[in-house]
Amino acid sequence: MKFTGFLLLGLASYAKAYPSAAQKSKPPFFVPAGDSTTAVQSTGGGGWGDGFLNTTLFKGASGRNLGHNGATTVSFRTGGDWDEVLATVKQSKESYRPFVTIQFGHNDQKAKANISLSQYTQNLEDLVKEVLDAGATPILVTPLSRRNYETSTGTPLIVQSLSNETAATIKAAHSTGVRVIDLNKASTDYLNAIGPDDAYTYNLNPTDYTHLNGPGSVVFGGIVADLIIKVAAELSKDGYLKVDKTLKKDVKDGIYYWP
Ligand SMILES: *[C@@H]1O[C@H](CO)[C@@H](O)[C@H](O)[C@H]1NC(C)=O
Ligand SMILES: *[C@@H]1O[C@H](CO)[C@@H](O)[C@H](O)[C@H]1NC(C)=O
Ligand SMILES: *[C@@H]1O[C@H](CO)[C@@H](O)[C@H](O)[C@H]1NC(C)=O
C-alpha cells in the first residue's frame, strides 16, 4: 500500500511537470521546399537545406530536403515536387510534427519564367493553404541573397536583386496569417558585414555566386535555424532545434564563420 501511494505521487508530479506530454513530445519533421538555393549540393545547385537538416536538428527531429534545382512556384507544382512534399507530410505525421518551409523567387523572377509578382504571391499563398490543409505548419522563407556586390559607395555592398520577391513573400505570409522568416535580410546583413572575399568562400564553385558549397550550407542553414527559433520558440525550448553557439554569435556580430 505504502509503495503504491509513493508510486502514484511520483506519477502525479511527473504529469504536472510535463503537461500534455503525448502531444508535444512528437519531434518536428522539416520539409524544405524550394529551388536550388534550398536543394542538396550537386553540380549546378546547392542551398541551405542540407546544412540545416544535418547540423541543427536534435532529439529525434528530422527532415527531408525537397528543394529542386531551377524550380519556380509553377514548375515545382507541375513537375510533381509539390505532391512529393504533401506525401512526405502525410507519411511523417504519425511520428512527427511536420513543418514545411517554402522559399522561391530566384527562378520566378527570371523573364523566361513569365511569372508576375502578383502571380508569385498568389502561388505562395496557395502553397501555404495546402500545407495547412495537410495538417502541417508552413513557414515562408524570403529568398537567400546572391553574393553579388556593387562598390559605388566605396564599400562593397550586396546587390538587392531579390527585394521584390522578398516583399511579396512577406505579403503572402501576412495575407495567410502564417509565420515568415526574413532570410533575405539576414543573409544580406551577414554578407555585407563579412565582405566579398570571405563571402565567396561559400560559393559552390569559384564563379557561382548563387549556390552554396557544403560549409556555406552549414552557415546559412544555421542562420535559417536561428530565424526559425525566433518564430517557433517552442522548438528550441524543447531542444529540437539548436544553432552552434559560435556560428550564432559570429553571425550576430558580423564576423566571418567557417564550420
Ligand atoms: C505570359 O503570361 C501571360 C499571362 O499568363 C500570358 O498571357 C502570356 O501569353 C505569357 N507569355 C509568354 C511569352 O508565354
Ligand atoms: C521591382 O519591381 C519594380 C516594379 O515592377 C521594378 O521596376 C524593379 O526593377 C524591380 N526590382 C528588382 C530588384 O527586380
Ligand atoms: C549532409 O549529410 C549528408 C549525409 O551524411 C552528406 O552526404 C552531405 O554532404 C551533408 N551536407 C551538408 C551540407 O552538410
Side-chain angles (χ1 to χ4, degrees), residues 147-148 200-212:
R147 294 172 300 285
N148 296 314
Y200 298 162
T201 65
Y202 303 133
N203 289 1
L204 182 70
N205 63 58
T207 56
D208 185 333
Y209 303 98
T210 300
H211 303 115
L212 300 167

Side-chain angles (χ1 to χ4, degrees), residues 153-193:
T153 62
T155 305
L157 290 173
I158 286 292
V159 177
Q160 299 282 323
S161 62
L162 291 149
S163 51
N164 287 338
E165 291 69 26
T166 294
T169 303
I170 292 170
K171 190 176 164 194
H174 290 168
S175 62
T176 52
V178 302
R179 303 177 229 207
V180 61
I181 60 170
D182 197 351
L183 176 61
N184 187 261
K185 180 179 190 321
S187 53
T188 300
D189 288 350
Y190 176 62
L191 293 167
N192 279 339

Side-chain angles (χ1 to χ4, degrees), residues 17-258:
Y18 299 94
S20 64
Q23 184 55 31
K24 285 192 182 159
S25 66
K26 276 188 188 173
F29 190 94
F30 281 93
V31 187
D35 55 34
S36 59
T37 62
T38 295
V40 175
Q41 275 56 45
S42 67
T43 309
W48 54 264
D50 267 33
F52 169 80
L53 296 175
N54 282 6
T55 64
T56 73
L57 303 182
F58 296 88
K59 283 182 66 180
S62 188
R64 181 169 174 218
N65 189 355
L66 287 176
H68 190 141
N69 294 355
T72 66
T73 53
V74 172
S75 75
F76 199 79
R77 187 188 286 283
T78 56
D81 298 296
W82 188 244
D83 283 344
E84 188 73 20
V85 168
L86 297 178
T88 304
V89 161
K90 204 171 169 191
Q91 282 162 18
S92 67
K93 250 163 100 174
E94 196 165 319
S95 317
Y96 298 92
R97 263 182 292 164
F99 287 74
V100 179
T101 64
I102 302 170
Q103 186 217 274
F104 291 93
H106 282 86
N107 304 305
D108 290 73
Q109 78 172 180
K110 292 176 182 163
K112 69 172 182 200
N114 192 28
I115 300 168
S116 68
L117 265 181
S118 63
Q119 190 58 55
Y120 168 75
T121 311
Q122 176 72 56
N123 292 346
L124 291 175
E125 290 168 353
D126 291 346
L127 297 177
V128 161
K129 285 172 193 157
E130 288 170 43
V131 170
L132 291 170
D133 287 346
T137 304
I139 299 178
L140 280 164
V141 181
T142 65
L144 178 74
S145 178
R146 296 189 177 95
R147 294 172 300 285
N148 296 314
Y149 290 81
E150 55 99 8
T151 52
S152 62
T153 62
T155 305
L157 290 173
I158 286 292
V159 177
Q160 299 282 323
S161 62
L162 291 149
S163 51
N164 287 338
E165 291 69 26
T166 294
T169 303
I170 292 170
K171 190 176 164 194
H174 290 168
S175 62
T176 52
V178 302
R179 303 177 229 207
V180 61
I181 60 170
D182 197 351
L183 176 61
N184 187 261
K185 180 179 190 321
S187 53
T188 300
D189 288 350
Y190 176 62
L191 293 167
N192 279 339
I194 63 172
D197 290 347
D198 286 338
Y200 298 162
T201 65
Y202 303 133
N203 289 1
L204 182 70
N205 63 58
T207 56
D208 185 333
Y209 303 98
T210 300
H211 303 115
L212 300 167
N213 57 20
S217 183
V218 169
V219 171
F220 290 93
I223 291 175
V224 167
D226 201 31
L227 294 170
I228 291 179
I229 286 168
K230 287 176 185 140
V231 297
E234 72 273 18
L235 295 178
S236 135
K237 190 169 100 352
D238 293 343
Y240 292 124
L241 202 50
K242 270 189 246 172
V243 182
D244 177 88
K245 280 199 175 70
T246 310
L247 167 58
K248 187 181 160 80
K249 186 175 186 316
D250 285 354
V251 168
K252 185 167 165 279
D253 296 344
I255 295 167
Y256 174 60
Y257 178 88
W258 184 258

